[in-house]
Amino acid sequence: MATRDDILVIGLGRFGRALAETLLSLGHEVMAVDADAQACQECSQTIGHVVQADATSTDALRQVGAGEFRTAVVAIGNDIQASIMATYALVDLGIPRIWAKAITAQHGAILQRVGAHRVVFPERDMGVRVAHTMLGRTIDYVELDDEFVLIETTVPRQLAGRMIGEAQVRSKFDVSILCVKRPGGRFTYATQDTLLNLGDLVVVFGPTRSAEEFAALD
Ligand code: ATP
């Protein structure tokens, strides 16, 4: 019987496999379902609990015990019909937390209408992230919602040799520096007394525009 933390992953494409393997590495139990025998075979070593079934059928899902799960992810993208039908089958089974991957905004809107609780757009989001990391001094970029981001960047030249408090980072740039990493060191929490050196990495949090401007400073 599935427990509260077990996660059902439907579809073992690149996204589904990476998701299932990461959940396993984080200590969760995973059951993966795919209609394709070869995909199941390829994942049986790494994922372990893999079941071959057609996830568009509520009965087939019920038979493999999918109804016991409290969290499920529909990781089917390109076959939009299968993605929608699998999401609907999970809703039919009464699964309380359903995540689904969408490849277009319209696909996402339909998944939401059908009953997905959270829709993700991996291709779109990764495009946004890669575009930002190509610009300025941004090393990594995570959108927290429509208005706030976390950016990993380097210390701008104009702040080098100054302490965070003294440089008035929050009031002048409208961002918070959360942590700092010296070359070869590890990230440590930043305080008002943390000295910023050229070559240090910082993680800043703030409104999107402010954080992007901070990462673009000379
Ligand atoms: P990725 O980009 O993650 O590689 P994708 O969107 O290109 O995935 P899809 O073809 O949409 O890949 O399907 C992902 C997986 O979902 C495939 O392994 C496919 O066999 C599986 N799948 C498709 N339809 C069903 C279904 N009805 N039931 C179960 N699994 C399915």
Side-chain angles (χ1 to χ4, degrees):
M1 157 111 42
T3 66
R4 198 181 172 84
D5 288 341
D6 294 356
I7 296 167
L8 174 66
V9 176
I10 295 188
L12 290 169
R14 290 158 299 178
F15 177 79
R17 287 180 200 200
L19 179 83
E21 287 169 12
T22 305
L23 289 168
L24 282 165
S25 74
L26 293 171
H28 292 273
E29 294 291 325
V30 170
M31 180 171 94
V33 173
D34 200 292
D36 182 64
Q38 194 180 337
C40 292
Q41 171 69 28
E42 284 169 7
C43 295
S44 58
Q45 294 288 325
T46 49
I47 298 173
H49 194 181
V50 180
V51 180
Q52 187 181 355
D54 178 5
T56 62
S57 155
T58 307
D59 285 343
L61 283 180
R62 190 181 286 115
Q63 272 178 26
V64 300
E68 310 292 335
F69 286 79
R70 298 181 55 79
T71 305
V73 185
V74 180
I76 304 171
N78 285 323
D79 187 342
I80 293 184
Q81 185 175 342
S83 142
I84 293 167
M85 288 174 68
T87 303
Y88 181 72
L90 295 174
V91 173
D92 217 15
L93 288 173
I95 294 183
R97 242 162 61 103
I98 303 169
W99 291 56
K101 160 186 158 162
I103 55 171
T104 64
Q106 195 185 28
H107 180 197
I110 294 169
L111 291 173
Q112 232 145 17
R113 280 283 177 92
V114 166
H117 304 105
R118 181 88 185 255
V119 177
V120 295
F121 300 85
E123 285 87 358
R124 183 200 68 184
D125 291 352
M126 190 46 91
V128 170
R129 202 162 161 187
V130 170
H132 280 97
T133 55
M134 291 169 72
L135 303 172
R137 301 182 336 282
T138 300
I139 292 162
D140 208 350
Y141 183 99
V142 181
E143 237 175 8
L144 299 183
D145 63 17
D146 287 345
E147 292 169 41
F148 285 89
V149 292
L150 276 176
I151 295 184
E152 183 184 351
T153 181
T154 51
V155 169
R157 195 170 293 277
Q158 61 181 269
L159 296 185
R162 303 178 68 189
M163 286 190 290
I164 291 175
E166 174 226 330
Q168 298 179 297
V169 172
R170 175 89 62 91
S171 58
K172 281 201 175 143
F173 302 100
D174 189 28
V175 297
S176 295
I177 296 182
L178 303 182
C179 40
V180 178
K181 183 179 175 180
R182 311 264 178 247
R186 305 175 62 182
F187 272 112
T188 54
Y189 291 113
T191 68
Q192 295 297 299
D193 300 330
T194 302
L195 184 64
L196 299 171
N197 293 315
L198 216 54
D200 290 351
L201 293 182
V202 288
V203 174
V204 299
F205 165 78
T208 307
R209 170 69 67 89
S210 308
E212 285 176 4
E213 284 173 1
F214 183 86
L217 290 173
D218 277 339

